Amino acid sequence: MERKKIPQKPSKKGTDRDERLKAALKANMGRRKTQARARADQGANRSQDKQEK
């Protein structure tokens, strides 16, 4: 009697990695945007301070 080969599901190793990288990229971009906004606000505040003097 022959055994039927059951097709195996493709491994999720690649998709797990892709999901982790996607999440890390999203978090990194969020931090960079926050830093850019803070720097822009500091620059605006400094220019206003110079104009007031």
Side-chain angles (χ1 to χ4, degrees), residues 31-41:
R31 283 192 301 270
R32 286 178 176 254
K33 283 184 178 182
T34 302
Q35 288 175 347
R37 286 185 195 122
R39 288 183 184 142
D41 288 344

Side-chain angles (χ1 to χ4, degrees), residues 20-34:
R20 281 188 288 115
L21 290 174
K22 185 178 176 182
L25 179 63
K26 189 173 182 178
N28 189 15
M29 291 301 292
R31 283 192 301 270
R32 286 178 176 254
K33 283 184 178 182
T34 302

Side-chain angles (χ1 to χ4, degrees), residues 4-26:
K4 292 183 181 179
K5 291 186 177 181
I6 301 171
Q8 295 179 352
K9 294 180 184 177
S11 65
K12 287 189 171 183
K13 287 183 180 180
T15 55
D16 287 344
R17 181 175 185 264
D18 289 343
E19 292 298 319
R20 281 188 288 115
L21 290 174
K22 185 178 176 182
L25 179 63
K26 189 173 182 178

